[in-house]
């Protein structure tokens, strides 16, 4: 496949932008080679600067649940843009999106919009600290909650992919307040709360961990988290930036029946525009400025284009039909890929929750970061490039989740599975 135009663009980008990319996960460093430059995307497909078409399983890292350039979102953005791109004062669309979010996620009594998931998580942590007047926070190894200082400790996503789960530039004084526990490890959690429960402001968790590949919560894990935080007066924060409006209309908390105190959202609620949100119990949310002492702000927060895109995106999910289609497609994808690997004798763990998935090159199921680290990343890199050359774009790291959209078709799957079969056969 000719990608010479992308290679030229990357050369130019390297002169101007660190690493040639504006977010490290795009750099292909973990799999080698040169990233392609996208010029267009529609439905389940993305086209590069050399006019190669790929079936896209990254979906702009999660937001594209309807596929790319979903007509209702495109129309909503066009109509909103014609009326002004930013106001810097409240606008009615903020109320409409807030209503939609609240109607879907009952634990969210009040919500504030930000411009990214990072901002949402950073702000939720500050709010939890302000509410409890405690400093310590708990996170799980391999979970990624954006790139705020306190959260870049044993972090997933690009931080893990590039071997810097503890980032340079985070003062040791900040990091010491971040306590890390293995995902799914109930005894470790119980021990930590027993020892330090009265210091812990909050626990932040991806209810389905999607930034070190994909591993689900074991039965009882989220329930115990809810019990322990309530018992010790700590705030439970679900980071649903990825899972919100993805795993069900009510997100992962709807799927698992857990009510956190605060929830962080992003990705789908912006319909592909830069949006984040955090919300939850009104008594906690009302501690935010201007009502309370916890400061949080943003020039483009509640931006009218982003709100319009988010509303159109959520309206397309509201009747539940999309989730039924995604579950059916997801199950088909999972079983078919697993069968192909089994037939060829390749140890591949195909893990899936709804429309999120990951295929780990390892022999045992993955429940936490240590399990994920056992996967064979050189196998993954070969598989990734084989798929790319056959017109299938997977996330360029073993430690990222893949995403299905309602725009993917069974014909796309056929092509994907035939490609997977050919690539896995070369690894056998
Ligand atoms: N949160 C995204 C998936 N891990 C990564 C997006 C990015 O860092 O660019």
């Amino acid at each position: 496949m000719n990608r010479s135009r992308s290679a030229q663009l990357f050369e130019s980008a390297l002169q101007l932008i660190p690493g040639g990319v504006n977010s490290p996960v795009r750099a292909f460093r973990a799999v080698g080679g040169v990233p392609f430059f996208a010029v267009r995307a529609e439905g389940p497909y993305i086209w590069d600067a050399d006019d190669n078409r790929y079936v896209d399983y990254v979906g702009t890292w999660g937001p594209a649940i309807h596929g790319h350039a979903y007509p209702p979102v495109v129309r909503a953005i066009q109509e909103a843009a014609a009326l002004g791109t930013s106001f810097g004062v409240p606008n009615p669309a903020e109320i409409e999106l807030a209503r939609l979010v609240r109607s879907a996620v009952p634990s969210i009594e009040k919500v504030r919009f930000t411009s990214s998931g990072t901002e949402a998580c950073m702000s939720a942590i500050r709010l939890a600290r302000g509410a409890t007047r405690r400093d310590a926070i708990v996170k799980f190894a391999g979970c990624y909650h954006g790139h705020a200082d306190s959260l870049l400790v044993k972090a997933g996503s690009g931080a893990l992919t590039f071997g810097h789960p503890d980032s340079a530039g985070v003062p040791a004084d900040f990091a010491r307040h971040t306590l890390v526990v293995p995902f799914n490890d109930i005894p470790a959690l119980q021990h930590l709360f027993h020892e330090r429960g009265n210091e812990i402001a909050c626990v932040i968790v991806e209810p389905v961990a999607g930034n070190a590949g994909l591993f689900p919560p074991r039965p009882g894990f989220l329930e115990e988290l809810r019990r322990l935080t309530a018992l010790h007066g700590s705030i439970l924060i679900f980071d649903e930036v990825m899972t919100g409006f993805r795993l069900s209309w009510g997100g992962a908390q709807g799927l698992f029946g857990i009510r956190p105190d605060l929830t962080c959202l992003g990705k789908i609620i912006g319909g592909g525009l830069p949006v984040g949100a955090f919300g939850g119990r009104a008594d906690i949310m009302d501690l935010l400025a201007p009502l309370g002492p916890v400061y949080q702000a943003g020039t483009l927060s509640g931006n009218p284009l982003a709100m319009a895109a988010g509303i159109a995106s959520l309206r397309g999910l509201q009747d539940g039909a999309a989730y039924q289609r995604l579950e059916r497609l997801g199950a088909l994808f999972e079983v078919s890929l697993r069968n192909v690997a089994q037939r060829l004798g390749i140890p591949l763990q195909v893990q899936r929750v709804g429309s999120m998935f990951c295929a780990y090159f390892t022999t045992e199921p993955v429940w936490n970061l240590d399990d994920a680290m056992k996967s064979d990343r050189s196998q993954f890199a070969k598989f990734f490039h084989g798929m790319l050359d056959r017109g299938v774009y997977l996330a360029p790291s073993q430690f990222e989740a893949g995403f299905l959209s309602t725009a993917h078709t069974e014909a796309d799957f056929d092509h994907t599975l035939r490609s997977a079969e050919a690539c896995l056969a070369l690894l056998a």
Side-chain angles (χ1 to χ4, degrees):
M1 192 176 265
N2 172 29
R3 280 193 282 269
S4 55
R5 181 76 190 124
S6 278
Q8 283 166 8
L9 288 166
F10 192 50
E11 276 305 311
S12 305
L14 284 168
Q15 310 307 314
L16 298 163
I17 300 169
V21 290
N22 282 308
S23 193
V25 296
R26 303 176 190 173
F28 278 30
R29 284 273 176 115
V31 290
V34 169
F36 70 80
F37 277 60
V39 293
R40 182 160 79 91
E42 190 180 337
Y45 309 118
I46 189 163
W47 282 263
D48 70 15
D50 295 280
D51 211 26
N52 300 306
R53 190 188 85 167
Y54 307 90
V55 181
D56 181 10
Y57 292 101
V58 181
T60 185
W61 302 92
I65 192 164
H66 303 287
H68 295 283
Y70 177 53
V73 167
V74 173
R75 264 196 310 275
I77 294 171
Q78 286 168 338
E79 283 166 16
L83 300 173
T85 55
S86 177
F87 303 137
V89 295
N91 70 81
E94 295 166 278
I95 303 172
E96 193 177 343
L97 187 56
R99 275 210 185 100
L100 269 172
V101 167
R102 205 176 65 166
S103 72
V105 188
S107 71
I108 298 184
E109 295 166 356
K110 287 197 173 175
V111 60
R112 180 163 279 178
F113 294 109
T114 62
S115 296
S116 69
T118 288
E119 274 181 79
C121 293
M122 175 187 88
S123 306
I125 296 281
R126 184 182 304 140
L127 180 57
R129 284 176 160 152
T132 56
R133 296 170 193 270
R134 299 173 181 176
D135 289 339
I137 65 170
V138 176
K139 75 176 285 292
F140 295 90
C143 283
Y144 177 73
H145 308 286
H147 57 92
D149 283 347
S150 301
L151 294 165
L152 277 182
V153 179
K154 296 280 176 287
S157 192
L160 176 64
T161 295
F162 305 122
H164 304 295
D166 302 289
S167 173
V170 175
D173 263 3
F174 288 13
R176 83 186 161 84
H177 294 298
T178 304
L179 312 173
V180 183
V181 178
F183 195 84
N184 272 326
D185 190 338
I186 292 178
L189 205 54
Q190 290 169 332
H191 179 72
L192 180 62
F193 268 95
H194 181 259
E195 295 294 305
R196 303 187 60 176
N198 61 356
E199 296 168 46
I200 296 171
C202 62
V203 179
I204 185 164
V205 65
E206 292 177 80
V208 172
N211 280 287
L214 185 88
F215 35 88
R218 280 190 190 276
F221 174 65
L222 296 176
E223 288 78 359
E224 183 62 2
L225 204 46
R226 178 64 285 184
R227 190 188 73 79
L228 285 168
T229 45
L231 184 68
H232 292 271
S234 307
I235 287 170
L236 178 59
I237 305 174
F238 271 17
D239 173 354
E240 296 228 44
V241 170
M242 272 189 181
T243 55
F245 293 94
R246 159 89 34 203
L247 298 187
S248 80
W249 175 242
Q253 57 194 271
L255 194 65
F256 296 109
I258 307 287
R259 192 180 170 104
D261 302 305
L262 295 177
T263 298
C264 303
L265 296 167
K267 301 201 189 266
I268 290 172
I269 61 156
L273 267 64
V275 181
F278 63 107
R281 279 170 40 194
D283 61 318
I284 302 177
M285 291 301 290
D286 283 346
L287 295 172
L288 285 173
L291 292 180
V294 180
Y295 198 72
Q296 186 277 337
T299 299
L300 292 175
S301 298
N303 172 269
L305 269 62
M307 297 295 103
I311 292 163
S313 178
L314 296 197
R315 289 232 180 276
L317 298 168
Q318 205 167 10
D319 68 4
Y323 297 106
Q324 283 168 16
R325 175 170 169 77
L326 288 168
E327 179 55 33
R328 192 178 60 74
L329 288 176
L332 176 69
F333 186 81
E334 175 188 350
V335 171
S336 312
L337 186 56
R338 187 175 296 134
N339 286 346
V340 168
Q342 269 166 6
R343 233 180 7 256
L344 293 166
I346 300 278
L348 191 71
Q349 298 301 318
V350 183
Q351 309 213 160
R352 176 186 73 90
V353 181
S355 55
M356 294 172 72
F357 68 92
C358 177
Y360 291 102
F361 284 84
T362 183
T363 50
E364 300 299 324
V366 174
W367 292 104
N368 58 33
L369 179 61
D370 285 349
D371 296 342
M373 294 305 284
K374 290 180 192 143
S375 56
D376 185 335
R377 279 159 271 165
S378 66
Q379 294 272 72
F380 175 81
K382 287 180 202 148
F383 181 67
F384 169 84
H385 278 294
M387 296 296 276
L388 194 68
D389 288 343
R390 287 167 176 79
V392 179
Y393 177 46
L394 301 168
S397 164
Q398 174 73 96
F399 301 129
E400 296 287 358
F403 298 95
L404 302 176
S405 76
T406 54
H408 284 100
T409 64
E410 291 180 18
D412 295 321
F413 284 1
D414 281 348
H415 172 66
T416 303
L417 290 162
R418 270 186 281 111
S419 304
E421 183 147 21
C423 296
L424 291 173
L426 294 175
L427 300 177

